[in-house]
Amino acid sequence: MRASIEVETLLKIILALVVVWLALQIVEATLGILGFLLGPLSNVFGLVIIIVIILWWFDYI
């Protein structure tokens, strides 16, 4: 039995995380100082996306 979350919901979550990740990259590129402060957060969002995919793959969500 697969996890209780549906694929469409998971895809929406991943899409939202990717949008936030891209927004942080744009902010980093356009505003040097603010991008420097928010830079580490973009790596965290990438890690969160990978974790969500792995958890879904192993039926934990």
Side-chain angles (χ1 to χ4, degrees):
M1 180 174 169
R2 294 299 289 174
S4 61
I5 190 170
E6 296 197 18
V7 174
E8 291 82 16
T9 306
L10 178 67
L11 289 176
K12 288 177 187 177
I13 292 170
I14 291 174
L15 180 61
L17 289 172
V18 168
V19 167
V20 170
W21 192 8
L22 290 175
L24 286 175
Q25 294 296 322
I26 291 170
V27 167
E28 182 179 1
T30 56
L31 306 172
I33 294 276
L34 188 58
F36 175 73
L37 295 174
L38 295 177
L41 288 179
S42 66
N43 295 332
V44 171
F45 281 112
L47 184 61
V48 167
I49 291 170
I50 292 170
I51 289 171
V52 166
I53 292 172
I54 290 172
L55 288 176
W56 177 76
W57 184 265
F58 289 111
D59 293 331
Y60 286 116
I61 59 170

